[in-house]
Amino acid sequence: MSPSHAMITKARKGFRSHFNEDPVFVSRCPGRVNLIGEHTDYNDGFVLPIALQFSTVIASKPVSSDDVQVHSEGFGHAQFSLSESPQESEGWSRYLHGMGALLKSSGVPVKGWRGFICSDIPAGANLSSSAALEIASGLTFRSVAGVDTPLMEIAIAGQAVENEIIGVRSGIMDQLACTFAEAGSALLIDCQSLGLSSVALPKQVSVVVMDTGTRRELSGTAYNDRRETCERVAAALGADSLREVSLQDLGSLEVVDKIGFRRARHVVTENQRVVDVVHCLRSNDLMEAGNLINASHESLRSDYEVSGPALDKIVEIAQNVKGCYGARMTGGGFAGSAVALVENEHVEAFCPQVSDLFPAPEEQPAEAPATLFVVEASAGVSVT
Ligand code: GLA
């Protein structure tokens, strides 16, 4: 049984054991790992994520009131009324409540339901466990309402939950990746036009997620601070976003705004790297794809300054293990996971070798031992 089928079965069983009846709907949303294009989404740039084989699943049944009542595997219980503000809810419940409130304000006739939720996406590892929660609950609200709200609207509502209710000014990458990814392919997203295209992954290469076991909340101020700096630089150059800015345009900034210059240089060069990696994957030039992935990490580390001691260490180890084309931090950064592109015939030896060589650095203690797993590029959301 595939991991996502196992989660669907678990959610159905959980629902039955809590409510003594069968669920009516089952919504599944995978996590994601981003191959390249980091901190570019909120700058109208390009990103290249894949969806994981790990997912969050909600089994549900409509009720005749405005109340939502959800049991979970391992995360306690959530209960709220859609007539109250989502700020009344705490923890993971706020994501569900936020989704219901935002869909309601956009005209979806949301109603109450009861459900059971389970997930095998590692939480806090920069693998989009929160976007998966938003989208799986958005699909549940949509099914319960009996409407066919476009998936794009659900994804945009998920981003609005982060921005308006959680307080993280994140971009749209995670929600679009989790929703629209296709099995066997990465998803190239143009975050300005919201255009999506599939990029098939060459068969001889594996994607490895390297979770360092370190954790850091994204809602820390650093993420929002990076976004503000990018907006400030774009505005100073008379542009709507850094997407419209070239390296030459940045020249004048180098002396007057050193930090702004370096942040923007990351974004501008990263956008070009995404386009170049897509070209490399399509023409099977894995050596060059790997070089670009390594260059992305260096730019995130030194110009954008969103890496951290544990991410730097695991990336450096991975880059030197046989069969690795390239490795970099992935997602928001500071802690959590890195990603590597590894030749299939070496991947089995690669994983234990990296974890053996990686004790978390003393200056950034880990909450759990490092875990490496080979990712299957999986399909986005489904509802049954
Ligand atoms: C987090 C955000 C995304 C994106 C990445 C960095 O995952 O949710 O929108 O900005 O960080 O690329």
Side-chain angles (χ1 to χ4, degrees):
M1 198 189 306
S2 72
S4 61
H5 276 104
M7 292 310 285
I8 289 172
T9 306
K10 191 181 262 188
R12 284 184 189 283
K13 271 195 191 152
F15 187 96
R16 240 177 263 131
S17 79
H18 279 278
F19 302 110
N20 262 326
E21 58 180 344
D22 283 327
V24 176
F25 304 110
V26 179
S27 314
R28 181 198 63 91
C29 184
R32 67 95 188 95
V33 62
N34 190 20
L35 295 184
I36 193 160
E38 219 62 86
H39 290 273
T40 45
D41 60 351
Y42 53 81
N43 288 301
D44 280 354
F46 296 108
V47 294
L48 189 68
I50 62 178
L52 304 175
Q53 65 268 42
F54 306 121
S55 51
T56 293
V57 177
I58 304 179
S60 63
K61 184 169 181 175
V63 297
S64 56
S65 68
D66 270 352
D67 294 339
V68 175
Q69 187 200 0
V70 193
H71 291 280
S72 78
E73 184 196 47
F75 296 99
H77 172 240
Q79 185 149 18
F80 56 87
S81 163
L82 288 163
S83 52
E84 288 165 0
S85 155
Q87 301 301 345
E88 306 281 316
S89 290
E90 289 191 353
W92 60 273
S93 176
R94 187 177 288 184
Y95 290 85
L96 267 64
H97 197 162
M99 226 30 219
L102 286 176
L103 289 174
K104 186 176 178 183
S105 67
S106 69
V108 177
V110 295
K111 294 186 193 122
W113 45 275
R114 56 188 183 215
F116 182 85
I117 183 165
C118 53
S119 180
D120 59 353
I121 307 172
N126 283 340
L127 300 174
S128 282
S129 53
S130 57
L133 182 57
E134 289 148 18
I135 304 302
S137 62
L139 290 174
T140 303
F141 281 112
R142 179 176 90 149
S143 301
V144 168
V147 292
D148 57 0
T149 312
L151 289 178
M152 186 56 91
E153 272 179 43
I154 306 268
I156 290 171
Q159 183 196 11
V161 168
E162 298 283 351
N163 295 173
E164 294 165 26
I165 292 168
I166 306 298
V168 182
R169 295 188 61 220
S170 55
I172 190 70
M173 164 170 71
D174 304 348
Q175 291 79 7
L176 291 184
C178 299
T179 304
F180 293 108
E182 287 175 19
S185 294
L187 186 69
L188 172 65
I189 308 173
D190 176 340
C191 298
Q192 188 168 48
S193 66
L194 301 188
L196 310 172
S197 28
S198 254
V199 180
L201 292 175
K203 295 272 180 278
Q204 75 272 30
V205 81
S206 300
V207 177
V208 179
V209 167
M210 307 182 289
D211 177 3
T212 60
T214 57
R215 295 289 180 263
R216 174 164 165 157
E217 283 290 312
L218 194 57
S219 49
T221 47
Y223 184 95
N224 291 349
D225 166 76
R226 293 300 183 281
R227 183 167 179 165
E228 269 163 37
T229 305
C230 292
E231 288 169 350
R232 171 168 60 74
V233 172
L237 296 172
D240 286 340
S241 72
L242 290 180
R243 173 70 176 273
E244 289 153 30
V245 166
S246 69
L247 273 185
Q248 273 151 337
D249 299 331
L250 293 180
S252 58
L253 276 181
E254 195 167 359
V255 179
V256 289
D257 180 0
K258 278 200 173 101
I259 294 272
F261 171 78
R262 281 167 42 223
R263 305 292 189 248
R265 179 168 62 183
H266 164 72
V267 174
V268 173
T269 57
E270 184 79 349
N271 276 330
Q272 187 59 47
R273 282 187 287 270
V274 178
V275 173
D276 293 344
V277 163
V278 168
H279 178 74
C280 290
L281 292 176
R282 288 187 167 145
S283 58
N284 237 345
D285 186 353
L286 293 169
M287 291 297 275
E288 185 53 18
N291 292 338
L292 291 159
I293 286 172
N294 292 341
S296 167
H297 184 79
E298 185 48 30
S299 177
L300 287 156
R301 188 189 69 76
S302 61
D303 270 354
Y304 216 67
E305 294 183 277
V306 290
S307 189
L311 290 168
D312 286 344
K313 191 163 184 185
I314 209 159
V315 163
E316 193 193 340
I317 292 168
Q319 285 172 346
N320 290 298
V321 169
K322 194 170 179 191
C324 180
Y325 287 111
R328 55 180 286 278
M329 54 149 277
T330 188
F334 304 107
S337 302
V339 63
L341 213 56
V342 182
E343 182 77 24
N344 284 351
E345 64 173 289
H346 295 292
V347 78
E348 213 173 299
F350 173 87
C351 295
Q353 242 174 300
V354 173
S355 43
D356 284 354
L357 289 167
F358 177 80
E362 267 169 34
E363 64 269 42
Q364 190 181 18
E367 289 179 18
T371 321
L372 275 79
F373 40 88
V374 179
V375 170
E376 289 158 36
S378 305
V381 291
S382 62
V383 184
T384 42

